Amino acid sequence: MHDDRSLVEGRLKRVLDERVRPAVHPESVPLEIAVWNAPGEPVPVAEGLAGPVEPVAVGDRWGAPWGTSWFRVSGTVPEKWAGRTVEAILDLGFDENMPGFQCEGLVYRPDGTPVKGLNPRNQWVRIGAPVAGGEKVLLHIEAASNPVILDYHPFLPTQLGDKETAGSEPQYTLARMDLAVFDETVWNLVQDFEVLGELMAELPVEGARRWEILRAISRALDVIDLQDVNGTAAAAREQLAGALASPAPATSHRISAVGHAHIDSAWLWPLRETVRKVARTTANMTALLEDEPEFVFAMSQAQQFAWIKEHRPEVYAKVKKAVAEGRFVPAGGMWVESDTNMPGSEAMARQFVHGKRFFLDEFGIENDEAWLPDTFGFAAGLPQIIKAAGSKWLLTQKISWSTINKFPHHTFNWEGIDGTRIFTHFPPVDTYNCSMTGEQMAHAAKNFKEKGVARHSLAPTGWGDGGGGTTREMIAKSARLKNLEGSATVEWEAPGAFFAKAEAEYPNPPVWVGELYLELHRATLTSQAKTKQGNRRSEHLLREAELWAATAAVRTGAAYPYEDLDRIWKTVLLHQFHDILPGSSIAWVHREAAKTYEGLATELNGIIDAAQRALAGDASGSTELVFNSAPHPRGGVPAGAAGPVGAATGVEPSPREGGGYVLSNGLLEVEIDGRGLVVSAYDISAERETVAPGEAANLLQIHPDFPNQWDAWDVDEFYRNTVTDLTDLDELTPVENGVRVVRGFGDSRVTQLLTLAPGAKRLDIDTEVDWHETEKFLKAAFPLDVHAERYASETQFGHVYRATHTNTSWEAAKFEACNHRFVHLEEPGWGVALVNDSTYGHDVTRTVRAADGGTTTTVRVSLLRAPRFPDPETDQGVHRFRHALAPGAAIGDAVREGYRINLPERRITGADAEVAPLVSVDNDAVVVSAVKLADDGSGDLVVRFYESSGGRAKARVHLGFEATGLAVTDLLERPLADTEPPALDGGTVGLSLRPFELITLRLTRG
């Protein structure tokens, strides 16, 4: 037989595109259209429905950037359509290739009842099936004219990312507003053709199955009368029925389809628009659930459910009903799908506390899975947090985006820094917006790395980011793929059902130890410095607020601000979303974030001040108290306590031979040369130099920064090829305890204070940058005379080790990595810590010196970038950073100094001489990460500890109040049934912790 494969395939494409698809709606009549353009921000539904409309027509332009237009469409169903299915086709001017990234709409009935969303791949509204003929139709559309930020030529700078700069030019052209007959037979023929045609394209040419499908398609095409598709569609379907009925073999890969609509809580749109995206999508999905009995939809992010509850209660009522039926599944158990690299220990824990508690309170559902398909890498402390929250599974897909090394597993156990293992799945379909194409199904089956030992994978299915979620076409395709020869089999399932099956069939999966590093989007550790500073500052202010409010409640009976702290935590958690904290959102998002963080700081400082004043006693007193919020004693004041102010002394800078100044306090001697660079940091007791020979530390360096794509997200390794050392000096002036250094470069200016405090074995570096560069990367380099094959970076509840070398491609790929408060390097017996108050990105490299054969290990902290997409003014303006170099530091010193720089002491004048701590620990390796009252309002005290050094630790916890009982709890403060609590012995509790173990104690107050 002659090979006519290409001929038939080409014929199928043209007939589908030009004849069959248009015949799905064979008859139509136009609707009358009127519009009201709401001024300013979105208005309530009732106001939108009542707005004064003006006539408008198909072909007219509409929609200023970020505007809202309320369309009213009306018409009458023709009498001759009686007995047929009728739909309204409402095309706002969609580009079908951009679901989620352009205009969207939500359809309402005249009484304000939401019907469904309108999206590029979902433009229909069912009017009747069947209709009687003559029905009056009146619908309202709340249409959002969100501008296209990520266009066909992506990453071009645009002013459209902020309403203040976007202008008022209409963005869209009304394309179609009709009533139309819906021919379900033709629609099903389209699905038949698409499923078989897409499957055929994935099958081997030499296989019989491909040719069987080809012949069936050829026969069906022969049957279709191109002038009467509607009259011949049923006959064509009969020709395809046999090919669609051939069952899959028992060995086929099995895909659990989960309805999904990944919605970034902010990204190329502001937070307020996400509220509407969620409403549109959930309206779509609850409507689809009513029509499709096998369909299951999952939505993560408790914040998004809370938004619907607050802003669209009529939609939320439908969601709650579908949740109760088990078909709309709250997934993930987190407040938002947060970044997991940068959030601190407590913040990462509270993502699960607030997310899981919302789902428990609202729906009575306990999540076993963490659901993070799109987060930019996963910190090594996360498995323990997932387990401590009462969950046991993790799903993500983002690691498939790595550009250098292909991850070796799709289903595996992920082991964190403390040894906790979490059963983890990466969907081999390699997308969290699966649309059930043959190519995607084939890719999942071929790509699955556990073939031979496991057979199940998951496919999150639906258009995301406001694209409308799962469509009826996806469900129709899945029905045909449920048991079809040549394809993976497909079944709709909730995430929990998938994980239970996957874990049961694969009880001993391989283990991956340590962080899940994404070899992409590394610059998100630096972009939008003010957002990152706001996050770090808020985390530590929350620690202080909880500590001192709890202390005041126990010591003085002061009211504990439960509701305020709950609300503030949720706001901070929201801003840890994986496109806000990473700095990859439009200007509008970060402008609002800055204002939000400023307001939170004011509010939290008010809570702290009120609690400390209550503890200090009469404000007219003359005793000045220092409040120490850190988990370690300092200046003679215990952790979590307040005591008298110590005597003040100073360090006098002295001139240095050859220029510059010398700072010495008996512990360190620091030399700053005539360029204002640190050329020596000598540890006096260890008789050890910190700075590598011939090098200078605190050396500011600037690189060109123009990645190949994803400007705010990426830094490509070639940026290192060109570097400029900033050594030109405008000013070098002695000040109290140190020197002031001023430099100008480009259009920018940097001022630094380098100070050596009395009794401190650290050099403090306060940096102010007035930044006006474009597409540049600013770093501060510290070349250290340390021979180390690995270094430690703080992460949640501990630290993770990374190599200083690049032996393998895995190590070379980590050329920019994340730390929290410190980076630490050491040789046996001596180390160096570099601590910070608000930066995350850094790099570590090593060289061997030709002169003496010694090793120089250089740590560089990342300070600022200046990408132009999606915010063309990223980071322009004044920034302030605090760092400290701590020579001779062991890992415990790094932990202590990291807390110190982030929790500066506070001074209050009052009548009392001291405030005793509620809790103290006799082992510095055991760190208190939270002291608070229990969230349930019982008055119980909750204290969280973790082992910080990476070793085993025993400690006695001394209680500064009467306790009548205690329990070991999970993060949600629920007693662990299988854990025997330690004994409460005369106001002390003995703890024994594994390396990096976290323990939460709940103490009942007497």
Coordinates of all heavy atoms in Angstrom, one line a residue, residues 57-121:
A57 N -20.6 48.4 19.7 CA -20.8 47.3 18.7 C -19.5 46.5 18.5 O -18.4 46.9 18.9 CB -21.1 48.0 17.3
V58 N -19.7 45.3 18.0 CA -18.6 44.5 17.6 C -17.6 45.3 16.7 O -18.1 46.0 15.8 CB -19.0 43.2 16.9 CG1 -17.9 42.5 16.2 CG2 -19.7 42.3 17.9
G59 N -16.3 45.2 16.9 CA -15.4 46.0 16.2 C -14.9 47.2 16.9 O -13.9 47.8 16.5
D60 N -15.7 47.6 17.9 CA -15.3 48.8 18.7 C -14.1 48.5 19.7 O -14.0 47.4 20.2 CB -16.5 49.4 19.5 CG -17.5 50.0 18.6 OD1 -17.2 50.2 17.4 OD2 -18.6 50.3 19.1
R61 N -13.3 49.5 19.9 CA -12.2 49.3 20.9 C -12.8 49.6 22.3 O -13.7 50.4 22.5 CB -11.1 50.3 20.6 CG -10.5 50.2 19.2 CD -9.5 49.0 19.1 NE -8.3 49.3 19.9 CZ -7.3 48.4 20.1 NH1 -7.5 47.2 19.8 NH2 -6.2 48.8 20.8
W62 N -12.2 48.9 23.3 CA -12.6 49.1 24.6 C -11.5 48.8 25.6 O -10.5 48.2 25.2 CB -13.8 48.2 25.0 CG -13.4 46.7 25.1 CD1 -13.3 45.9 24.0 CD2 -13.1 46.0 26.3 NE1 -12.9 44.6 24.5 CE2 -12.8 44.7 25.9 CE3 -13.1 46.3 27.6 CZ2 -12.4 43.7 26.8 CZ3 -12.7 45.4 28.5 CH2 -12.4 44.1 28.1
G63 N -11.6 49.3 26.8 CA -10.7 48.8 27.8 C -9.4 49.5 28.0 O -8.4 49.1 27.5
A64 N -9.4 50.6 28.8 CA -8.1 51.2 29.2 C -7.3 50.2 30.1 O -7.9 49.3 30.7 CB -8.3 52.5 30.0
P65 N -6.0 50.3 30.1 CA -5.2 49.3 30.9 C -5.7 49.3 32.4 O -5.9 50.4 33.0 CB -3.8 49.8 30.8 CG -3.8 50.6 29.5 CD -5.1 51.2 29.4
W66 N -6.0 48.1 32.9 CA -6.4 47.9 34.3 C -7.8 48.4 34.5 O -8.2 48.5 35.7 CB -5.4 48.5 35.3 CG -4.0 48.0 35.0 CD1 -2.9 48.7 34.6 CD2 -3.6 46.6 35.2 NE1 -1.8 47.9 34.5 CE2 -2.2 46.6 34.8 CE3 -4.2 45.4 35.5 CZ2 -1.4 45.4 34.8 CZ3 -3.4 44.3 35.5 CH2 -2.1 44.3 35.2
G67 N -8.6 48.8 33.5 CA -9.9 49.2 33.7 C -10.9 48.1 33.8 O -10.6 46.9 33.6
T68 N -12.2 48.5 34.1 CA -13.3 47.5 34.2 C -14.4 48.1 33.3 O -14.9 49.2 33.6 CB -13.7 47.3 35.6 OG1 -12.7 46.8 36.4 CG2 -14.9 46.3 35.6
S69 N -14.9 47.3 32.4 CA -16.1 47.6 31.6 C -17.2 46.7 31.9 O -17.0 45.4 31.9 CB -15.7 47.6 30.1 OG -14.7 48.6 29.8
W70 N -18.4 47.2 32.2 CA -19.6 46.4 32.4 C -20.4 46.3 31.1 O -21.0 47.3 30.8 CB -20.4 46.9 33.6 CG -19.7 46.6 34.9 CD1 -18.8 47.3 35.5 CD2 -20.0 45.5 35.7 NE1 -18.4 46.7 36.7 CE2 -19.2 45.6 36.9 CE3 -20.9 44.4 35.7 CZ2 -19.2 44.7 37.9 CZ3 -21.0 43.5 36.7 CH2 -20.1 43.6 37.8
F71 N -20.4 45.2 30.4 CA -21.1 45.0 29.2 C -22.5 44.4 29.5 O -22.6 43.6 30.4 CB -20.4 44.1 28.2 CG -19.2 44.7 27.6 CD1 -17.9 44.4 28.1 CD2 -19.3 45.5 26.5 CE1 -16.8 44.9 27.6 CE2 -18.1 46.1 25.9 CZ -16.9 45.8 26.5
R72 N -23.5 44.9 28.8 CA -24.9 44.3 28.9 C -25.2 43.8 27.5 O -25.2 44.6 26.6 CB -25.9 45.4 29.4 CG -27.3 44.8 29.6 CD -28.2 45.9 30.0 NE -28.6 46.8 28.9 CZ -29.2 47.9 29.0 NH1 -29.7 48.3 30.2 NH2 -29.5 48.6 27.9
V73 N -25.4 42.5 27.5 CA -25.8 41.9 26.2 C -27.2 41.4 26.3 O -27.6 40.8 27.3 CB -24.8 40.8 25.8 CG1 -23.4 41.4 25.5 CG2 -24.8 39.7 26.8
S74 N -28.0 41.6 25.2 CA -29.4 41.2 25.3 C -29.8 40.8 23.9 O -29.3 41.2 22.8 CB -30.3 42.4 25.7 OG -30.1 43.5 24.9
G75 N -30.9 39.9 23.9 CA -31.4 39.4 22.6 C -32.5 38.5 22.8 O -33.0 38.2 24.0
T76 N -33.0 37.9 21.7 CA -34.1 36.9 21.8 C -33.7 35.7 21.0 O -33.2 35.8 19.9 CB -35.4 37.5 21.2 OG1 -35.7 38.8 21.9 CG2 -36.6 36.6 21.3
V77 N -34.0 34.5 21.6 CA -33.7 33.3 20.9 C -34.7 33.1 19.7 O -36.0 33.2 20.0 CB -33.8 32.1 21.9 CG1 -33.7 30.8 21.1 CG2 -32.8 32.2 23.0
P78 N -34.3 32.9 18.5 CA -35.2 32.8 17.4 C -36.2 31.6 17.6 O -35.8 30.5 18.1 CB -34.3 32.5 16.2 CG -33.0 33.1 16.6 CD -32.9 33.0 18.1
E79 N -37.4 31.8 17.2 CA -38.4 30.8 17.4 C -38.0 29.5 16.7 O -38.3 28.4 17.1 CB -39.8 31.3 16.9 CG -40.4 32.5 17.6 CD -41.0 32.1 18.9 OE1 -41.0 30.9 19.2 OE2 -41.3 33.0 19.7
K80 N -37.4 29.6 15.5 CA -37.0 28.5 14.7 C -36.0 27.6 15.4 O -35.7 26.5 14.9 CB -36.6 28.9 13.3 CG -35.3 29.7 13.3 CD -34.8 30.1 11.9 CE -33.5 30.9 11.9 NZ -33.1 31.2 10.5
W81 N -35.4 28.1 16.4 CA -34.4 27.2 17.1 C -35.0 26.4 18.2 O -34.3 25.7 19.0 CB -33.3 28.1 17.8 CG -32.4 28.8 16.7 CD1 -32.4 28.6 15.4 CD2 -31.3 29.7 17.0 NE1 -31.4 29.4 14.8 CE2 -30.7 30.1 15.8 CE3 -30.9 30.3 18.2 CZ2 -29.7 31.0 15.7 CZ3 -29.8 31.2 18.2 CH2 -29.2 31.6 16.9
A82 N -36.3 26.4 18.3 CA -36.9 25.6 19.3 C -36.5 24.1 19.3 O -36.3 23.5 18.2 CB -38.5 25.6 19.2
G83 N -36.2 23.5 20.5 CA -35.7 22.2 20.5 C -34.2 22.0 20.4 O -33.7 20.9 20.5
R84 N -33.5 23.1 20.2 CA -32.1 22.9 20.0 C -31.3 23.5 21.2 O -31.9 24.2 22.0 CB -31.7 23.7 18.7 CG -32.4 23.1 17.5 CD -32.2 23.9 16.2 NE -30.9 23.6 15.6 CZ -30.5 24.1 14.4 NH1 -31.2 25.0 13.8 NH2 -29.3 23.7 13.9
T85 N -30.0 23.2 21.2 CA -29.2 23.8 22.3 C -28.6 25.1 21.8 O -28.1 25.2 20.7 CB -28.0 22.8 22.6 OG1 -28.6 21.6 23.1 CG2 -27.1 23.4 23.7
V86 N -28.7 26.1 22.7 CA -28.3 27.5 22.3 C -27.3 28.0 23.3 O -27.5 27.8 24.6 CB -29.5 28.4 22.2 CG1 -29.1 29.9 22.0 CG2 -30.4 28.0 21.1
E87 N -26.3 28.7 22.8 CA -25.3 29.3 23.7 C -25.0 30.7 23.2 O -25.2 31.1 22.1 CB -23.9 28.5 23.6 CG -24.0 27.1 24.1 CD -22.7 26.3 24.1 OE1 -21.8 26.7 23.3 OE2 -22.6 25.3 24.8
A88 N -24.6 31.5 24.2 CA -24.1 32.8 23.9 C -22.6 32.7 23.7 O -21.9 32.1 24.5 CB -24.4 33.8 25.0
I89 N -22.1 33.3 22.6 CA -20.7 33.3 22.3 C -20.2 34.7 22.5 O -20.6 35.7 21.8 CB -20.3 32.9 20.8 CG1 -21.0 31.5 20.5 CG2 -18.9 32.8 20.6 CD1 -20.5 30.4 21.4
L90 N -19.4 34.9 23.5 CA -19.0 36.2 24.0 C -17.5 36.4 24.0 O -16.8 36.0 24.9 CB -19.5 36.4 25.5 CG -21.0 36.1 25.7 CD1 -21.4 36.2 27.1 CD2 -21.9 37.1 24.9
D91 N -17.0 37.0 22.9 CA -15.6 37.1 22.6 C -15.2 38.6 22.8 O -15.6 39.4 22.0 CB -15.3 36.7 21.2 CG -13.8 36.7 20.9 OD1 -13.0 37.3 21.7 OD2 -13.3 36.1 19.9
L92 N -14.5 38.9 23.9 CA -14.2 40.2 24.2 C -13.0 40.8 23.4 O -12.6 41.9 23.6 CB -13.8 40.3 25.7 CG -14.9 39.9 26.7 CD1 -14.3 39.8 28.1 CD2 -16.0 40.9 26.7
G93 N -12.5 39.9 22.5 CA -11.3 40.3 21.8 C -10.1 39.5 22.2 O -9.0 39.9 22.2
F94 N -10.4 38.2 22.5 CA -9.4 37.3 23.0 C -8.4 36.9 22.0 O -8.7 36.7 20.8 CB -10.1 36.0 23.6 CG -11.0 36.3 24.7 CD1 -12.3 35.9 24.7 CD2 -10.5 36.8 25.9 CE1 -13.2 36.1 25.8 CE2 -11.4 37.0 27.0 CZ -12.7 36.6 26.9
D95 N -7.2 36.6 22.5 CA -6.2 35.9 21.7 C -6.1 34.5 22.4 O -5.7 34.4 23.5 CB -4.8 36.6 21.8 CG -3.7 35.9 21.1 OD1 -3.8 34.7 20.8 OD2 -2.7 36.6 20.8
E96 N -6.5 33.5 21.6 CA -6.6 32.1 22.2 C -5.2 31.6 22.6 O -5.2 30.6 23.4 CB -7.2 31.2 21.2 CG -8.7 31.4 20.9 CD -9.4 30.3 20.2 OE1 -8.7 29.3 19.9 OE2 -10.6 30.4 20.0
N97 N -4.1 32.2 22.2 CA -2.8 31.8 22.6 C -2.4 32.3 24.0 O -1.3 32.0 24.4 CB -1.8 32.1 21.5 CG -2.1 31.4 20.2 OD1 -2.3 30.2 20.2 ND2 -2.0 32.2 19.1
M98 N -3.2 33.2 24.6 CA -2.8 33.8 25.8 C -3.8 33.7 26.9 O -4.2 34.6 27.6 CB -2.6 35.3 25.5 CG -1.4 35.6 24.7 SD -1.1 37.4 24.7 CE 0.4 37.5 23.8
P99 N -4.3 32.5 27.2 CA -5.2 32.3 28.4 C -4.5 32.7 29.7 O -3.4 32.3 30.0 CB -5.5 30.8 28.3 CG -4.4 30.2 27.6 CD -3.9 31.2 26.6
G100 N -5.1 33.7 30.4 CA -4.6 34.1 31.7 C -3.8 35.3 31.6 O -3.4 35.9 32.6
F101 N -3.5 35.9 30.4 CA -2.5 37.0 30.3 C -3.1 38.2 29.5 O -2.4 38.9 28.9 CB -1.3 36.5 29.6 CG -0.5 35.5 30.4 CD1 -0.7 34.1 30.2 CD2 0.3 35.8 31.4 CE1 -0.1 33.1 30.9 CE2 1.0 34.9 32.2 CZ 0.8 33.5 31.9
Q102 N -4.5 38.3 29.6 CA -5.1 39.4 28.8 C -6.5 39.7 29.5 O -6.6 39.5 30.7 CB -5.2 39.0 27.4 CG -6.0 37.7 27.2 CD -6.2 37.3 25.7 OE1 -6.9 38.1 25.0 NE2 -5.5 36.3 25.3
C103 N -7.4 40.2 28.7 CA -8.7 40.5 29.2 C -9.4 39.2 29.7 O -9.2 38.1 29.1 CB -9.5 41.3 28.2 SG -9.8 40.4 26.6
E104 N -10.3 39.4 30.6 CA -11.1 38.3 31.1 C -12.5 38.9 31.5 O -12.6 40.1 31.7 CB -10.5 37.7 32.4 CG -9.1 37.1 32.1 CD -8.3 36.7 33.4 OE1 -9.0 36.4 34.4 OE2 -7.1 36.8 33.4
G105 N -13.5 38.0 31.7 CA -14.8 38.5 32.1 C -15.5 37.5 33.0 O -15.2 36.3 33.0
L106 N -16.4 38.0 33.8 CA -17.3 37.2 34.6 C -18.7 37.6 34.3 O -19.1 38.7 34.3 CB -17.0 37.4 36.1 CG -17.9 36.6 37.1 CD1 -17.7 35.1 36.8 CD2 -17.5 36.9 38.5
V107 N -19.5 36.5 33.9 CA -20.9 36.7 33.4 C -21.8 36.7 34.6 O -21.7 35.8 35.5 CB -21.2 35.7 32.4 CG1 -22.7 35.9 31.9 CG2 -20.3 35.8 31.2
Y108 N -22.8 37.6 34.7 CA -23.8 37.6 35.7 C -25.2 37.6 35.1 O -25.4 38.2 34.0 CB -23.7 38.9 36.6 CG -22.4 39.0 37.4 CD1 -21.3 39.6 36.9 CD2 -22.3 38.5 38.7 CE1 -20.1 39.8 37.6 CE2 -21.2 38.7 39.5 CZ -20.1 39.3 38.9 OH -18.9 39.4 39.6
R109 N -26.1 37.1 35.9 CA -27.5 37.2 35.5 C -28.0 38.6 36.1 O -27.3 39.2 36.9 CB -28.4 36.1 36.1 CG -28.0 34.7 35.6 CD -29.0 33.7 36.1 NE -28.7 32.4 35.5 CZ -27.8 31.5 36.0 NH1 -27.3 31.8 37.2 NH2 -27.6 30.3 35.4
P110 N -29.1 39.1 35.6 CA -29.6 40.4 36.1 C -29.7 40.5 37.6 O -29.6 41.7 38.1 CB -30.9 40.6 35.4 CG -30.8 39.8 34.2 CD -30.0 38.6 34.6
D111 N -29.9 39.4 38.3 CA -30.0 39.5 39.8 C -28.7 39.5 40.5 O -28.6 39.5 41.7 CB -30.9 38.4 40.3 CG -30.3 37.0 40.0 OD1 -29.2 36.9 39.4 OD2 -31.0 36.0 40.4
G112 N -27.6 39.5 39.7 CA -26.2 39.5 40.3 C -25.7 38.1 40.5 O -24.6 38.0 41.1
T113 N -26.4 37.0 40.1 CA -25.9 35.7 40.3 C -24.8 35.4 39.3 O -25.0 35.6 38.1 CB -27.0 34.7 40.1 OG1 -28.1 34.9 41.0 CG2 -26.5 33.2 40.3
P114 N -23.6 35.0 39.7 CA -22.5 34.7 38.8 C -22.8 33.4 38.0 O -23.4 32.5 38.5 CB -21.3 34.5 39.7 CG -21.8 34.1 41.0 CD -23.2 34.7 41.1
V115 N -22.5 33.5 36.7 CA -22.8 32.3 35.8 C -21.5 31.5 35.6 O -21.3 30.4 36.0 CB -23.4 32.8 34.5 CG1 -23.7 31.6 33.6 CG2 -24.7 33.6 34.8
K116 N -20.5 32.2 35.0 CA -19.2 31.6 34.7 C -18.3 32.6 34.2 O -18.7 33.7 33.8 CB -19.3 30.4 33.7 CG -19.7 30.9 32.3 CD -20.0 29.7 31.4 CE -18.8 28.9 31.0 NZ -17.8 29.6 30.1
G117 N -17.0 32.3 34.1 CA -16.0 33.2 33.6 C -15.9 33.1 32.1 O -16.3 32.2 31.4
L118 N -15.4 34.2 31.5 CA -15.0 34.2 30.1 C -13.5 34.4 29.9 O -12.9 35.2 30.6 CB -15.7 35.4 29.4 CG -17.2 35.5 29.3 CD1 -17.7 36.8 28.7 CD2 -17.7 34.3 28.6
N119 N -13.0 33.5 29.1 CA -11.5 33.4 28.9 C -11.2 33.1 27.5 O -12.1 32.7 26.7 CB -10.9 32.3 29.8 CG -11.5 32.4 31.2 OD1 -12.5 31.7 31.5 ND2 -10.9 33.2 32.1
P120 N -10.0 33.2 27.0 CA -9.7 33.0 25.6 C -10.1 31.6 25.1 O -10.5 31.4 24.0 CB -8.2 33.2 25.6 CG -7.9 34.2 26.6 CD -8.9 33.9 27.7
R121 N -10.0 30.6 26.0 CA -10.4 29.2 25.6 C -11.8 28.8 26.2 O -12.1 27.6 26.2 CB -9.3 28.2 26.1 CG -7.9 28.5 25.6 CD -7.8 28.3 24.1 NE -6.5 28.5 23.6 CZ -5.6 27.5 23.3 NH1 -6.0 26.2 23.5 NH2 -4.4 27.7 22.9

